[in-house]
Amino acid sequence: MPSGYDGRVLQTLDMHGAGVGDRVAIDSDIRYTGTIMPRYHHSDDSHIVLKLDSGYNVGVSILGITGIRILERRPAPPPSTPPPEPRGDLPDILLVSTGGTIASRIDYRTGAVTPALDAAQLGESMPELYGMANIRPLQLLSEYSENITPEHWLEMAHTIHEEHSKYAGIILAHGTDTMHYTAAYLSFALAGCDTPIVLTGSQRSSDRASSDAALNLAGAVSAIIQGIPRGVYIAMHHTQSDDTISIHHGTRARKSHASARGAFRTINGEPAYMVSGGVLERHSHKDYWNGIAYSPAISVDRRAALVKYHPGYDTALLDHMSECRAVILEGTGLGHVGREAYHTIQSMVRRGIFVGMTTQCIEGSVRMTVYESGRDLLDIGVVPLRMVPETALVKAMWAASRDTDIHDAMVSDMASEMA
Amino acid sequence: MPSGYDGRVLQTLDMHGAGVGDRVAIDSDIRYTGTIMPRYHHSDDSHIVLKLDSGYNVGVSILGITGIRILERRPAPPPSTPPPEPRGDLPDILLVSTGGTIASRIDYRTGAVTPALDAAQLGESMPELYGMANIRPLQLLSEYSENITPEHWLEMAHTIHEEHSKYAGIILAHGTDTMHYTAAYLSFALAGCDTPIVLTGSQRSSDRASSDAALNLAGAVSAIIQGIPRGVYIAMHHTQSDDTISIHHGTRARKSHASARGAFRTINGEPAYMVSGGVLERHSHKDYWNGIAYSPAISVDRRAALVKYHPGYDTALLDHMSECRAVILEGTGLGHVGREAYHTIQSMVRRGIFVGMTTQCIEGSVRMTVYESGRDLLDIGVVPLRMVPETALVKAMWAASRDTDIHDAMVSDMASEMA
């Protein structure tokens, strides 16, 4: 494995027989105990990067080091054991791995910096899951979710479309950063799919004592084997506590905390279900696709943009969106932008670009008839959208790729996106 | 007052002797009771717009109308009475009105659709305030806050700078949509100002029974007369309940609900103070400007942009920001964007544009050393900013207008913006 170290630091490591992935005690001004990580590209060339037991990294200058003691050698990769034979009395679940922190156990342990745990290893790392269901692992991608693109959404949708009829449910292990965008996409592209689709991930990698990976995955499995109805869901910790997993509607959740375990929240409402002490409890669930029969529509058009409005917004930027089929404004309050922007927005509408309005307030919805600004924007042709901005953007990218009228698609509730 | 009505609708109104601002009962399929509002520009020409007692508007088709009965004539504007003589035993407070819902009582009552209540009327409408302090009204602007621009920020800052030494505190009545942007601006431009500055507004106009205007204003007055230390604050309902007014640090609050009264929230923490039962209670307050002596720096440069990253983001849009001095990214999770955007961001940094990273997660902060993506972006020269995106944008607009290095300004905590 490339360690990124060279020169004096590599010499120091070699001198002590230590390498990336080893758990060590380094004596310097104080004693540091942790796992040697690869060097960051941006760090200087005189520090060893150590992941402390707290999970965070420090750089230890080689200048003050008086000794390095190996506490534990970098573990050999666990032998890959085939999953147990399927049992006839257990439901079948497909576990599709796309990457993300949930799939980064080996990554953290050995110091590699890309997601490295495949779906089979993910299943193996949580053997208790095999007592609950026949889990078939399928490795699709290995990406942190900030690198997930609309084209990846298509891959996921095609895979689920091809496989879904064989399973009681599909679990998608996914990075949390953009999990809600993917969940929204699958909700529109696979509308009416009879097999429940549950996205799950983790905020702490599986090798950390505080990891939420196993419980989130177990929550997703529990939801499926206890008969959650069709729909696209996000299963993640409800709070910091391990007691409860929230099962959010996939079109209404947002990643609402950058680091906490209870990172996802249903906006403008309660989660659809909770798994509490292993038991699936219904909360605000309604029929996700409101009677729609399955008719996959797997396509996407990137020509949609999301614009967060702010005082001093340079409206010339909107002129550069003339290739867009749709622009989603994230306006202020009940759905406003300053009158400085009216002229440009009007010309976009006249050119046939769909312009939809959402709110940058976290909770609440647009209501554009209350104030003059909203009424002016309605007048211009801006369309109020009662859904979170992220879902509106994804829906616009999907609608723009279909034969249907974008406006018609955007204003009808397809996948419980309208609170 | 222009009513916006013409043709058949105007004839119908004239026939019944009714006009905009009158409270009426209209008999049609059912009986509608409410106040006649001016016609929306976008509404068709066969409806009367009626504001129901619930506060919301309906259009009543003239085709089915069997009668219109006047319940109450549009009230004459209240006579403007001069404020009471200042009392030597009361502190002096300057009430600067800039517009917004808090200043829209006359607006709603008579149907006018721009903020119409000036600072004197605002004071008059809440006579109990005059028992608490000598309130000097000053009418500066009459804008809903979606129309507030950086140039308006300058006007507000200059006014406060000129007046502050004469008062125990300054209250700014302001629309809620962009109140937090203005609060952030004043925090940087007026750093160290010895007179506390409290922004307040309302989510319901003063003529509605559920209005929060008077209590928010009283909360602001209470905070000042009970000696809140220097700083820029936002005083708004803590929840839906009238018991408690939260006093947020002006650089750390966001409008977090589009319509609820408890709309503002301190991100990543507690409000600085609360006013509960009229009593000012300290919560998370620390010295707002951390020892900075007053040195006004009232200038702004619009050449800063806020970019919310999402899957499928068209990085060509970044190329159109080459005139910017600073670009604030609202990245995913701990501060990430997809690697599709690296190349463009790198060339921005090389051209000398400051590129800062914030998170689109509501709570939590960027921490760019945890994952490969963050480290890559640090490598490229992206600067992590531990503050809410809106504050980062405003600070960048301010810093870009100063002689100092933008980077230095952005990474040092000036006005308690870093949680």
Side-chain angles (χ1 to χ4, degrees):
Chain A
M1 167 177 322
S3 76
Y5 292 110
D6 50 24
R8 295 176 300 164
V9 183
L10 190 58
Q11 281 171 20
T12 306
L13 287 172
D14 285 349
M15 195 169 75
H16 293 90
V20 166
D22 290 341
R23 188 170 148 75
V24 295
I26 301 183
D27 288 317
S28 179
D29 50 339
I30 61 165
R31 171 170 294 180
Y32 300 92
T33 304
T35 302
I36 300 176
M37 297 286 286
R39 177 174 172 262
Y40 307 160
H41 301 279
H42 67 277
S43 59
D44 65 33
D45 61 355
S46 62
H47 289 78
I48 295 169
V49 181
L50 206 64
K51 177 175 283 297
L52 303 180
D53 295 336
S54 64
Y56 295 106
N57 296 345
V58 292
V60 182
S61 166
I62 53 167
L63 299 180
I65 291 180
T66 56
I68 299 180
R69 191 156 54 90
I70 314 282
L71 302 176
E72 197 183 335
R73 281 285 169 200
R74 170 184 166 197
S80 200
T81 50
E85 283 299 306
R87 280 169 44 187
D89 60 331
L90 293 181
D92 298 322
I93 291 178
L94 182 66
L95 172 60
V96 181
S97 178
T98 68
T101 301
I102 192 168
S104 66
R105 183 176 65 112
I106 301 296
D107 166 35
Y108 265 69
R109 187 76 192 181
T110 64
V113 283
T114 47
L117 196 63
D118 67 24
Q121 290 165 321
L122 189 57
E124 271 170 44
S125 72
M126 298 159 197
E128 65 277 18
L129 297 181
Y130 285 105
M132 297 168 73
N134 300 316
I135 306 227
R136 197 200 126 203
L138 191 156
Q139 181 67 18
L140 185 65
L141 299 167
S142 184
E143 293 284 2
Y144 282 120
S145 71
E146 57 271 29
N147 290 317
I148 295 287
T149 64
E151 293 69 34
H152 289 133
W153 298 340
L154 299 179
E155 282 190 69
M156 294 184 228
H158 281 299
T159 300
I160 294 171
H161 171 61
E162 284 155 22
E163 299 285 340
H164 80 277
S165 60
K166 301 176 222 158
Y167 295 94
I170 313 274
I171 296 175
L172 215 59
H174 196 289
T176 56
D177 269 25
T178 69
M179 185 185 280
H180 44 314
Y181 294 91
T182 297
Y185 179 75
L186 298 175
S187 301
F188 301 116
L190 300 176
C193 180
D194 289 321
T195 308
I197 300 161
V198 186
L199 287 85
T200 192
S202 71
Q203 291 279 87
R204 305 275 192 287
S205 59
S206 308
D207 66 333
R208 286 173 62 180
S210 63
S211 177
D212 48 340
L215 276 156
N216 291 338
L217 199 47
V221 171
S222 293
I224 290 168
I225 64 181
Q226 289 172 49
I228 197 168
R230 67 181 196 164
V232 179
Y233 305 95
I234 286 176
M236 291 287 290
H237 268 57
H238 183 55
T239 60
Q240 294 295 84
S241 141
D242 282 341
D243 299 342
T244 308
I245 306 301
S246 288
I247 314 280
H248 305 276
H249 278 146
T251 48
R252 288 182 51 201
R254 280 183 64 180
K255 183 168 182 179
S256 299
H257 199 292
S259 53
R261 295 196 284 174
F264 280 79
R265 232 169 56 206
T266 293
I267 303 302
N268 288 324
E270 289 285 302
Y273 285 84
M274 307 249 203
V275 176
S276 202
V279 178
L280 182 69
E281 294 167 1
R282 182 176 171 141
H283 282 252
S284 73
H285 181 76
K286 52 180 186 170
D287 181 22
Y288 194 67
W289 285 300
N290 196 22
I292 294 178
Y294 184 44
S295 153
I298 304 171
S299 56
V300 74
D301 187 332
R302 280 184 177 233
R303 290 174 298 166
L306 179 62
V307 172
K308 180 165 174 172
Y309 185 79
H310 56 75
Y313 181 81
D314 178 8
T315 57
L317 292 172
L318 294 174
D319 289 327
H320 297 300
M321 297 176 191
S322 58
E323 297 301 308
C324 280
R325 305 278 318 277
V327 171
I328 306 300
L329 299 171
E330 204 176 303
T332 63
L334 293 169
H336 306 141
V337 299
R339 69 174 83 86
E340 289 187 334
Y342 288 4
H343 180 75
T344 316
I345 292 173
Q346 187 154 42
S347 67
M348 294 175 88
V349 171
R350 285 194 180 139
R351 285 199 303 270
I353 299 173
F354 173 85
V355 182
M357 180 64 80
T358 62
T359 177
Q360 63 188 253
C361 299
I362 297 139
E363 305 271 342
S365 276
V366 297
R367 200 179 293 145
M368 295 175 65
T369 54
V370 177
Y371 292 102
E372 182 188 32
S373 304
R375 296 192 291 262
D376 285 344
L377 289 165
L378 287 173
D379 229 13
I380 287 169
V382 174
V383 179
L385 301 175
R386 293 178 66 90
M387 61 190 96
V388 295
E390 292 81 355
T391 296
L393 171 76
V394 172
K395 192 178 185 185
M397 286 185 173
W398 172 80
S401 73
R402 311 306 303 168
D403 278 339
T404 83
D405 183 75
I406 297 179
H407 177 278
D408 291 351
M410 294 304 291
V411 299
S412 50
D413 192 21
M414 267 190 73
S416 298
E417 67 270 25
M418 298 186 187
Chain B
M1 166 177 322
S3 76
Y5 292 109
D6 50 22
R8 296 176 300 165
V9 183
L10 190 58
Q11 281 171 21
T12 307
L13 287 172
D14 285 349
M15 194 169 76
H16 293 90
V20 166
D22 291 342
R23 188 172 148 75
V24 296
I26 301 183
D27 288 318
S28 179
D29 50 338
I30 61 165
R31 172 168 294 179
Y32 299 91
T33 303
T35 303
I36 300 176
M37 297 287 286
R39 175 172 173 266
Y40 305 161
H41 301 277
H42 68 276
S43 59
D44 65 34
D45 61 355
S46 63
H47 288 78
I48 294 169
V49 181
L50 207 63
K51 177 175 285 295
L52 304 179
D53 295 336
S54 64
Y56 295 105
N57 296 344
V58 293
V60 182
S61 167
I62 55 167
L63 299 179
I65 291 180
T66 57
I68 300 181
R69 191 156 53 89
I70 314 281
L71 302 176
E72 196 184 336
R73 282 283 169 202
R74 170 185 165 194
S80 201
T81 50
E85 283 297 306
R87 282 169 43 188
D89 60 330
L90 292 182
D92 298 323
I93 290 177
L94 183 68
L95 172 60
V96 181
S97 179
T98 68
T101 302
I102 192 169
S104 67
R105 184 176 65 111
I106 302 295
D107 167 35
Y108 266 69
R109 186 75 192 182
T110 64
V113 283
T114 46
L117 197 64
D118 67 24
Q121 291 165 321
L122 189 59
E124 271 170 44
S125 73
M126 298 157 198
E128 64 278 17
L129 298 182
Y130 285 106
M132 297 169 73
N134 300 317
I135 309 236
R136 197 200 126 204
L138 189 156
Q139 180 67 18
L140 184 67
L141 300 167
S142 184
E143 294 284 2
Y144 282 119
S145 71
E146 57 271 29
N147 291 316
I148 294 288
T149 64
E151 292 70 34
H152 289 133
W153 298 340
L154 299 179
E155 283 189 70
M156 295 184 227
H158 281 299
T159 300
I160 295 170
H161 171 59
E162 284 154 22
E163 299 285 339
H164 79 278
S165 60
K166 301 176 222 157
Y167 295 95
I170 312 275
I171 296 176
L172 215 61
H174 195 290
T176 56
D177 269 25
T178 69
M179 184 185 281
H180 43 313
Y181 294 90
T182 297
Y185 179 75
L186 298 175
S187 301
F188 301 116
L190 300 177
C193 180
D194 288 323
T195 308
I197 300 161
V198 185
L199 288 85
T200 192
S202 71
Q203 291 279 85
R204 305 275 191 287
S205 59
S206 307
D207 67 332
R208 287 174 62 179
S210 63
S211 177
D212 47 340
L215 275 156
N216 290 339
L217 200 46
V221 171
S222 294
I224 290 168
I225 63 181
Q226 291 174 48
I228 197 168
R230 68 182 196 165
V232 179
Y233 304 95
I234 286 177
M236 291 287 291
H237 269 57
H238 183 55
T239 61
Q240 294 295 85
S241 143
D242 282 341
D243 299 343
T244 307
I245 306 302
S246 288
I247 314 279
H248 305 276
H249 278 146
T251 47
R252 287 182 50 200
R254 281 183 63 179
K255 184 168 181 179
S256 299
H257 200 293
S259 53
R261 297 197 281 175
F264 279 80
R265 233 170 55 207
T266 293
I267 302 301
N268 288 326
E270 289 285 302
Y273 286 83
M274 307 251 200
V275 175
S276 202
V279 177
L280 182 69
E281 294 167 1
R282 182 177 171 141
H283 281 253
S284 74
H285 181 77
K286 51 178 184 170
D287 181 23
Y288 195 67
W289 285 302
N290 197 21
I292 294 177
Y294 185 43
S295 153
I298 304 172
S299 57
V300 73
D301 187 332
R302 280 184 177 233
R303 291 174 296 167
L306 179 63
V307 172
K308 180 165 173 171
Y309 185 80
H310 57 74
Y313 181 80
D314 178 8
T315 57
L317 292 172
L318 294 174
D319 290 325
H320 298 299
M321 298 177 191
S322 57
E323 297 301 308
C324 281
R325 304 278 318 278
V327 171
I328 306 300
L329 298 171
E330 203 176 303
T332 63
L334 293 170
H336 306 139
V337 299
R339 69 175 84 85
E340 290 186 335
Y342 288 4
H343 180 75
T344 316
I345 292 172
Q346 187 155 40
S347 66
M348 296 175 85
V349 172
R350 286 194 179 138
R351 285 199 303 271
I353 299 173
F354 173 86
V355 182
M357 179 65 79
T358 62
T359 176
Q360 64 188 253
C361 299
I362 298 139
E363 306 271 341
S365 276
V366 297
R367 199 180 295 144
M368 296 175 65
T369 54
V370 177
Y371 291 103
E372 181 187 31
S373 305
R375 296 191 291 261
D376 285 345
L377 289 165
L378 287 173
D379 230 12
I380 287 169
V382 174
V383 179
L385 301 174
R386 293 179 66 91
M387 61 189 96
V388 295
E390 293 82 356
T391 297
L393 171 76
V394 173
K395 191 176 187 186
M397 286 184 173
W398 173 80
S401 73
R402 310 307 302 168
D403 277 339
T404 83
D405 182 74
I406 297 180
H407 178 278
D408 289 351
M410 294 303 292
V411 299
S412 50
D413 192 20
M414 265 191 74
S416 298
E417 68 271 26
M418 297 185 187

